[in-house]
Amino acid sequence: MPSTPTILGPDGRPVNAERVKLEKQSRFNPLRGWTPDVLVRQLEAYSRGEIAGLAWVMEWLEKHDDIISCVAPKAKAAVSRWGYDILPKDEITPEQKQQAQDQQAVLQQFYQDLQTSDAVELEEAGGMRLLVQQIMDGYGKGYAAHHIIWKPTRGGLSAELVKVPTWFFEATTGRLRFLTSPYAQRGVDLDTLGGRDAWLISRGRGVMLAGVLARMFKQIPLQDWLTYCDRHGMPAFLGKTAATQGSTGWNEMVTAVSSIGSEFGAVINSGDEIAVLNLATQGEVPYEKLIDRMDRAQVMLWRGGDLSTISRASGVGSNPQQEDSDELDADNAAWVSETLNRGLTSRVIAWHFGRSAPVLCQLKLRTKTRDNLTQELTTVKDAKLMGVRISKSWFTNKFGIVEADAEELALGESSTPSISPIPPISPISPIPPAPTTAANSSPSAFRAWVAAATAPAATSVLDRLAASAQDSGMTDAEFLQVAQSAIDALQSIDPAAASDLASSLEAAMGTATLTAAKQAFPSSSSQ
């Protein structure tokens, strides 16, 4: 059972106000002096579990690199934007069905009330969508850690999950350990910080391990390209004069060349000569292709395809690449769902139903690449035709359908049904025989039969039926519902009479249309 942790901070949080202040004031640009040698050392340290240094570089690039700052939020939003479902597991037995429904209700309430925040960015707050995006941080950096503040009440269990920056941890033992200060080399075990029940650890792919290499391969040619533009982007101006050096004419030429504003200029005598050593590349410079290749690599790492974000001259995307992105998003959604079920769902069920209770429900994130709905609906219809009883709750959850309440306007309805219940009546006399087959299509015959069937004891039922038939605002389905209500009302009083009424209605309306039936009733003015 999750317990309320009492750990480093005065409010049970591992990151206190002093640590937040120190973290903010000591931040620096890790790309200053960032060379291939420095990166190699950071990658080697990361592989040993000393992840803090490279994790901060990854965070900086996610905020400042022109490509990563675009594709990383897209990858996170693609998993978080579609919502989630709480679904029973497939292998539930009939005996476990009620318990599964109870667990489903508990989990829906828990995830609906869940709160999410950040240990350092104190203005950041949200719910499930923010939590999913924060867990996806592990897809980039390899790790994501949340401190769980459990909040048990009489009404149930709720929680706040606080995202703790990845550079606050090390993993030299194979498990994340918390660095109690920015200068610590070895951390403390999470078991001493509220226990494992107080933490949600997400271990992701860590695509930024390749991303930092691509950034380095981009940074070097980008710097060279800037140098090239600086040296060869502006023309040089050469002033020639017959005046002697230091004379008034010479000085005037120097002033004229300088006033043009070029960084490169010279003044020589008309008989002198300056040889030009042309270092400019003849044709296309190589820097742009390499930079473009690295930018595409970043997009492919995060999104699975590059043309959806960076357009080519011949087009802006393709279906196969979109399918790659959809499949990657679906895989990330499955990973985040498993992480939440392992770290939260199982613990919530254990708290409510006991540690020995089986976990019968699970959270599943929705994705853009939903199952083939047409095929699945066909399967459901075929199964129903074969006599398989389909669970209504499973069907509505599977296809994301929300049922309308009885008093709510439903899809396809212009107004909500307003059918009052049939009032109780006394036992009635037998229903007269229905008209003959030859006459049952005649409105006059149908009117005569209704008049004969209106016995005093059953006046309230048949008057209700007659009035409903004359109501032009009532739909066919509503009219048939009134007829069924009349039969149901009689059933509780006189089953034989109810059977007679049902049989007589069926016979009397066998070939007559509903319109003809309505016309058969006399108007209210003639009654």
Side-chain angles (χ1 to χ4, degrees):
M1 178 182 298
S3 57
T4 304
T6 304
I7 51 180
L8 295 180
D11 56 354
R13 300 168 186 257
V15 182
N16 54 30
E18 282 299 318
R19 181 68 183 276
V20 172
K21 184 177 180 180
L22 182 60
E23 160 69 16
K24 283 288 190 178
Q25 294 180 347
S26 61
R27 286 185 173 178
F28 63 97
N29 180 2
L31 303 187
R32 184 181 300 169
W34 196 51
T35 64
D37 288 339
V38 173
L39 176 57
V40 168
R41 289 195 295 270
Q42 290 173 336
L43 288 170
E44 291 173 345
Y46 188 99
S47 67
R48 295 192 300 267
E50 300 166 359
I51 65 176
L54 192 57
W56 174 240
V57 174
M58 295 174 178
E59 178 70 14
W60 185 272
L61 290 177
E62 284 191 36
K63 296 294 192 297
H64 297 88
D65 184 88
D66 59 325
I67 300 300
I68 302 175
S69 63
C70 175
V71 295
K74 282 186 177 181
K76 297 175 182 180
V79 179
S80 66
R81 70 161 57 100
W82 304 104
Y84 64 93
D85 295 308
I86 305 296
L87 302 174
K89 292 184 176 179
D90 296 334
E91 61 272 15
I92 292 177
T93 64
E95 294 77 16
Q96 295 175 321
K97 185 174 181 180
Q98 182 58 51
Q99 187 177 7
Q101 292 176 352
D102 295 340
Q103 291 185 7
Q104 187 177 24
V106 166
L107 291 173
Q108 286 174 339
Q109 188 65 44
F110 174 81
Y111 284 109
Q112 179 180 332
D113 296 340
L114 185 140
Q115 298 176 322
T116 310
S117 60
D118 190 279
V120 176
E121 302 298 332
L122 303 182
E123 298 292 347
E124 185 172 303
M128 268 296 294
R129 183 170 182 176
L130 177 59
L131 175 60
V132 172
Q133 293 179 355
Q134 291 177 342
I135 291 176
M136 276 293 293
D137 198 47
Y139 176 74
K141 299 182 178 68
Y143 296 92
H146 284 83
H147 175 228
I148 309 174
I149 309 285
W150 295 106
K151 300 178 180 180
T153 64
R154 291 183 178 181
L157 182 66
S158 61
E160 177 187 358
L161 274 79
V162 184
K163 173 73 165 58
V164 182
T166 308
W167 55 94
F168 280 35
F169 296 89
E170 54 94 355
T172 54
T173 63
R175 284 182 174 272
L176 282 189
R177 298 196 299 177
F178 182 72
L179 298 172
T180 56
S181 75
Y183 317 107
Q185 297 297 316
R186 293 293 178 263
V188 297
D189 199 299
L190 299 185
D191 288 333
T192 66
L193 302 178
R196 286 285 164 177
D197 280 343
W199 292 90
L200 174 67
I201 305 300
S202 311
R203 184 68 169 96
R205 286 181 56 191
V207 296
M208 281 297 291
L209 290 171
V212 292
L213 287 170
R215 166 63 195 223
M216 179 60 71
F217 291 142
K218 169 185 174 179
Q219 181 169 298
I220 295 173
L222 186 59
Q223 291 173 342
D224 293 341
W225 197 6
L226 289 172
T227 302
Y228 175 87
C229 293
D230 183 56
R231 292 178 179 176
H232 305 288
M234 293 292 292
F237 296 93
L238 180 63
K240 295 183 179 181
T241 179
T244 59
Q245 186 175 0
S247 65
T248 301
W250 178 277
N251 293 335
E252 289 176 350
M253 178 61 73
V254 171
T255 302
V257 171
S258 301
S259 64
I260 296 176
S262 171
E263 295 184 6
F264 304 99
V267 177
I268 62 174
N269 286 114
S270 56
D272 297 333
E273 181 179 349
I274 295 180
V276 178
L277 181 62
N278 186 9
L279 300 179
T281 301
Q282 302 301 316
E284 185 180 5
V285 295
Y287 314 117
E288 185 176 4
K289 286 187 176 180
L290 183 54
I291 293 171
D292 181 70
R293 172 66 179 83
M294 294 302 102
D295 283 342
R296 294 184 186 280
Q298 299 287 8
V299 180
M300 287 187 287
L301 287 170
W302 283 94
R303 302 298 297 126
D306 63 333
L307 296 186
S308 61
T309 300
I310 305 178
S311 62
R312 297 184 188 270
S314 59
V316 294
S318 64
N319 288 335
Q321 288 174 327
Q322 184 60 54
E323 291 175 3
D324 287 345
S325 295
D326 292 342
E327 290 176 0
L328 181 60
D329 294 340
D331 183 72
N332 284 332
W335 164 64
V336 174
S337 298
E338 291 175 355
T339 300
L340 290 170
N341 287 322
R342 170 181 52 82
L344 294 179
T345 299
S346 59
R347 294 172 182 173
V348 172
I349 290 177
W351 190 88
H352 279 275
F353 302 95
R355 289 193 177 273
S356 60
V359 179
L360 304 178
C361 294
Q362 59 187 351
L363 178 141
K364 183 179 180 181
L365 291 178
R366 301 171 188 161
T367 63
K368 179 182 178 181
T369 53
R370 302 292 298 273
D371 297 334
N372 190 321
L373 297 184
T374 302
Q375 181 179 350
E376 296 224 352
L377 281 171
T378 302
T379 302
V380 171
K381 292 177 181 178
D382 291 343
K384 189 171 178 61
L385 289 175
M386 289 186 290
V388 178
R389 298 177 64 247
I390 307 297
S391 168
K392 189 174 183 180
S393 61
W394 171 87
F395 181 83
T396 54
N397 285 327
K398 174 67 177 177
F399 298 100
I401 298 172
V402 180
E403 262 195 301
D405 296 331
E407 63 278 0
E408 184 181 4
L409 190 65
L411 186 66
E413 294 180 350
S414 58
S415 60
T416 54
S418 56
I419 301 173
S420 57
I422 300 297
I425 57 174
S426 304
I428 64 173
S429 54
I431 302 298
T436 63
T437 303
N440 63 14
S441 61
S442 168
S444 59
F446 190 86
R447 183 188 299 112
W449 173 78
V450 171
T454 311
T459 298
S460 59
V461 175
L462 296 179
D463 282 354
R464 167 68 170 165
L465 187 60
S468 298
Q470 298 176 57
D471 186 359
S472 60
M474 181 174 290
T475 65
D476 295 348
E478 293 169 350
F479 177 72
L480 293 176
Q481 185 178 349
V482 172
Q484 184 61 51
S485 299
I487 297 172
D488 293 341
L490 295 177
Q491 185 68 36
S492 61
I493 302 172
D494 191 338
S499 178
D500 289 344
L501 177 59
S503 299
S504 299
L505 279 172
E506 181 179 359
M509 299 182 67
T511 57
T513 63
L514 187 60
T515 302
K518 290 186 176 183
Q519 293 174 349
F521 289 98
S523 63
S524 56
S525 60
S526 62
Q527 288 181 348

